[in-house]
Amino acid sequence: PAALPQLMLTEAEALRVLSDQSHETRLALHNAMDADKGTQAAYPRHVKRYKLWWCLDQDRRIQADPCWVRISSEPVMQTKVAIWLQYESSRPK
């Protein structure tokens, strides 16, 4: 039997294939990095520590300034995490 001619991909289809391949590569790299560092086990612990610290920090801020408005730990936002990471990186270990 004669081989059927293959249809050419459009540029959009080819870009989609490349996008899918790059996404698969990124996921594989992410999973490898997590496996090597124990991130999956550590992440919930870090979130718990962040939430506890945030509540205590808000208590300290209210004690220092009764006009301070308590800000919830959630939703987690980059501004809050940056403040917590500054604390984490400077606290005695």
Side-chain angles (χ1 to χ4, degrees):
L4 295 175
Q6 289 188 331
L7 298 176
M8 296 287 291
L9 291 176
T10 66
E11 184 176 353
E13 291 168 330
L15 286 171
R16 177 66 187 180
V17 168
L18 292 175
S19 176
D20 290 347
Q21 287 176 344
S22 69
H23 184 68
E24 289 172 13
T25 300
R26 187 193 65 77
L27 287 176
L29 179 60
H30 178 78
N31 290 336
M33 288 173 55
D34 278 357
D36 292 346
K37 295 181 181 173
T39 302
Q40 290 179 340
Y43 185 78
R45 184 176 68 245
H46 292 308
V47 171
K48 183 178 177 180
R49 288 178 53 88
Y50 156 76
K51 288 180 178 181
L52 175 62
W53 178 85
W54 188 263
C55 289
L56 294 173
D57 180 69
Q58 291 300 296
D59 290 345
R60 284 187 289 270
R61 289 175 187 265
I62 290 170
Q63 189 173 27
D65 180 0
C67 294
W68 182 261
V69 175
R70 179 177 294 278
I71 299 172
S72 175
S73 63
E74 293 185 2
V76 177
M77 300 165 63
Q78 71 184 49
T79 302
K80 297 174 191 176
V81 171
I83 293 167
W84 177 69
L85 287 174
Q86 191 280 325
Y87 161 76
E88 278 291 299
S89 65
S90 63
R91 74 176 173 86
K93 299 201 173 48

